[in-house]
Amino acid sequence: MFPLRFCVRLIFVIAIAQGSMVAAQRLKQLPPPGIEIDAEQRRTLENRVDELGHRLELLAVNDDDAARWMPDVEVLIRAVRLALDLDGFYRAKDPTVAEQLLDEAERRLAAVAAGERGLRLLGLQTQPVNQPQLLVGGFRSQIDDSVQPYGLVIPSGFDSSDPKPVRLDVWLHGRGDTKTEIAFLDERMQKVGQYSPAETVVLHPFGRHCNAFKFAGETDVYESITHLRGLIKVDSRRVAIRGFSMGGAGCWHLAVHNPGFWFAANPGAGFVDTIVYQGWQDSMPFDLTETRQRLMKWYDVLPWVTNLANTRTVAYSGEVDKQKQAADRVVAAAGKAGIELDYVIGSGMGHKIDPPSATKIDAVIASWADQPRPSPRTEIDFVTYTLRYHNVDWLSVTGLEQHWSPGRVTAKIVGERNLEITTSGVTRLKLDFRRSPWPVIPGSVDVVIDGQELSVQDWDEADGIQVELKREADWSVVEVIDNRLRKRPGLQGPIDDAFCDGFLFVAPSRPASHGVVQRWIDREFRYAQQRWKRLMRGEVRIVNDTELTTEQIESNHLICFGDLTGNQFLREIAGQLPIRWNRDDLQVGVIHFDPSVHAAVFCYPNPKNPSKYVVVNSGMTFREFSNTSNSRQIAMLPDWAVINLGDDDSDDIFPGKVIADGFFDEQWKLRP
């Protein structure tokens, strides 16, 4: 019936079938199963959680200010609720700690009723004290409306009435498989932490527990900083990123991807890639196709190392730490690029920071804090492989020739109103000097870009020039906002990108056309929900396809499960999608697949709201295979894939046998 389709299918199966070497093997659960607690303790905790939750709702229902204070109470109640729901008690003392968290929630409810807000609600002393104060709080995530925890170390002598902005150090914690919300909050209420510099607030993001501050954990770092700005006057020119072990890995990746945000980066240990850290140079546990090699550039640090020229970095390694190789490789690569990094090595140390090294590192960062970079910075050297990361200070890359190939820009302010810019692999740029107005005297500026001279006029009356440039045959000024479909910051793929911002699961109201496909869809839908709740400690928001509202379409990436006939929303937009899929055919470009034993997985700009994604049949693409190491938590599928649903149609790496996959081009079209 389908001779061409089955010939092509056979070719794909023989040539690029993506079999896994670890199919069906059992891997560790993350977080692991907890311990059984006393039945009476459990009942007491369940009753208190219900009672406090009810009181919280009653107090908030008629309070116009509730959004401001609710997360600071809810974060404590939710921590205990999750432990009860997800088997998350790991230490004998955890039930007692849970009671203490609920006691604090009760205190905060009373404080809210008495008018306390902000730091006072969290417990900050009314007068400055001569020792650090440890506070915990919560913010509501824009990703899934869950309340996520954070810790604060307020320095001794801190006066909340002082209008002077304070330095902020963001500290990323190490891996702890069992350090979920209860253990995290307990630690942050008891321990100052590795560093507590003078006159510096230290923020400890939870980062969704155990993902090396990638994906949603990365978003949480920035959201926690934004939340903190509503509580404390933060000096935006003196925000540092620091961390050790898993936190060191997170620090490396945040430093190279967003170097202009940090006045200093202080990574310790950690990992900077997947393949070398895992020792897979000679034997990969899955086929390393060109597509997967490109995806490695999302979180591998070394391709981005030249971005460290845009910040200041002091790295740390223990002399005999096995993880020392990570910093060694970055320092060597930076050196080859002409970037000299400070590097402190703890004498005789294993996986630990020794006190002399800590003192030296603190002194280096303090000296940098005393001499912040000029604003605006006069020189920028920035490389990117994806428009998820596109900005340093006043320069943004808004178009690439090809994603996952390097786009590089060097830019320099010369004199009072001249810019010199050199690019490669870049098709669009934005210049935005509103935060640090330049030129001082308003008016046009002269730009020399790739040898071409342009006189650039300002876009509006705000201080500082704002303009976008585009390259077709030559560079020119963008005169009209271009809304044509193209990859742009925040809408560039791959599939996992949709789970870094607000999303909503959309359930199908009708079954798929074929039973095998429907059973696979059911399984993947359940798995995506379970994975999000357990691993990303989130709330799963689901709507039926028949009940989807205009507001939900406008506000969320839509994660739709079903084929293009069973899911009503997908059925409505099917004619505007690049992949055709009905009862008789599954077509990707010129290739046809048997729809009775294949399924499509992809992300694409939502035709009903092109500023958001529609994702078809996928949650996060890293599965149980990633649980053993944060370096394995990487995107495993690109923009689109076709899955063969055979008898052995799933394993711990992929949702089934991936027989074709790829990236859409820069206009979101299928590549030839």
Side-chain angles (χ1 to χ4, degrees), residues 100 116 145 153 157 163 282 299 448 467 480 485 494 498 500 536 557 613 641 650:
Q100 293 167 349
E116 295 285 4
D145 287 340
V153 180
D282 299 322
Y299 281 123
V448 178
V467 69
V480 179
L485 201 61
C500 300
M536 288 298 181
H557 302 310
Y613 295 111
S650 70

Side-chain angles (χ1 to χ4, degrees), residues 364-477:
V364 169
I365 295 178
S367 69
W368 293 341
D370 289 339
Q371 296 178 325
R373 290 184 182 272
S375 181
R377 65 180 69 215
T378 56
E379 295 187 42
I380 291 173
D381 184 351
F382 182 60
V383 66
T384 185
Y385 290 79
T386 166
L387 294 179
R388 164 150 284 278
Y389 308 105
H390 60 94
N391 171 262
V392 176
D393 199 354
W394 44 266
L395 175 73
S396 291
V397 177
T398 53
L400 291 172
E401 288 182 3
Q402 182 176 340
H403 265 74
W404 312 110
S405 294
R408 189 165 184 175
V409 182
T410 58
K412 181 188 295 187
I413 296 175
V414 181
E416 295 183 354
R417 49 195 333 109
N418 296 84
L419 281 174
E420 295 179 357
I421 302 175
T422 303
T423 75
S424 62
V426 170
T427 59
R428 298 176 79 101
L429 291 174
K430 269 187 182 178
L431 309 175
D432 187 346
F433 285 90
R434 281 176 293 181
R435 288 188 301 171
S436 47
W438 181 87
V440 176
I441 301 175
S444 64
V445 300
D446 294 323
V447 177
V448 178
I449 181 167
D450 296 335
Q452 181 183 341
E453 297 183 7
L454 296 174
S455 180
V456 174
Q457 303 292 326
D458 198 358
W459 268 5
D460 62 30
E461 297 179 357
D463 290 340
I465 198 162
Q466 305 155 65
V467 69
E468 186 170 14
L469 308 176
K470 65 178 179 179
R471 177 172 61 81
E472 292 173 344
D474 296 304
W475 284 99
S476 63
V477 174

